Amino acid sequence: MPKYTYRCEACGEHFEKIHSISEKLTDCECGEAGSLTRVPSLPFCVSVKKPKAGQIVKDFIEDTKQDVETQKEEMMRGMEDD
Ligand SMILES: [Zn+2]
């Protein structure tokens, strides 16, 4: 299963979790619900732009979509290599 990096908006903590592509964590271990943002782990996905408040949700959805597409491509590539 793939490894994901999450960041908590409440406590600022980063941590990694291994789970399936269809799963998504939202609640931090600090007890804050819905505070987790998945951090793209691939270097070319990292962007330093700081979105405005209203833009965050939209960007997050786009990032998540891109992430899923990347995972799919990686899986396909892995199969071709064999
Ligand atoms: Zn937290």
Side-chain angles (χ1 to χ4, degrees):
M1 280 192 282
K3 189 167 73 177
Y4 296 99
T5 305
Y6 284 90
R7 184 169 61 87
C8 174
E9 302 286 351
C11 66
E13 200 67 47
H14 284 75
F15 56 91
E16 291 175 334
K17 289 278 179 187
I18 294 170
H19 59 69
S20 69
I21 285 172
S22 56
E23 280 181 275
K24 193 162 78 69
L25 299 178
T26 55
D27 300 348
C28 181
E29 284 164 6
C30 71
E32 190 73 22
S35 63
L36 294 183
T37 305
R38 205 166 78 192
V39 182
S41 52
L42 297 167
F44 59 82
C45 282
V46 176
S47 75
V48 287
K49 69 176 170 175
K50 292 227 167 185
K52 291 181 195 126
Q55 189 74 21
I56 290 173
V57 174
K58 207 177 137 201
D59 279 1
F60 177 71
I61 291 166
E62 285 302 312
D63 282 356
T64 306
K65 263 197 280 184
Q66 267 179 19
D67 219 29
V68 171
E69 286 302 311
T70 307
Q71 295 284 0
K72 263 195 273 180
E73 278 171 30
E74 275 180 3
M75 282 166 70
M76 298 291 274
R77 223 177 288 141
M79 279 184 241
E80 282 166 15
D81 283 348
D82 267 353

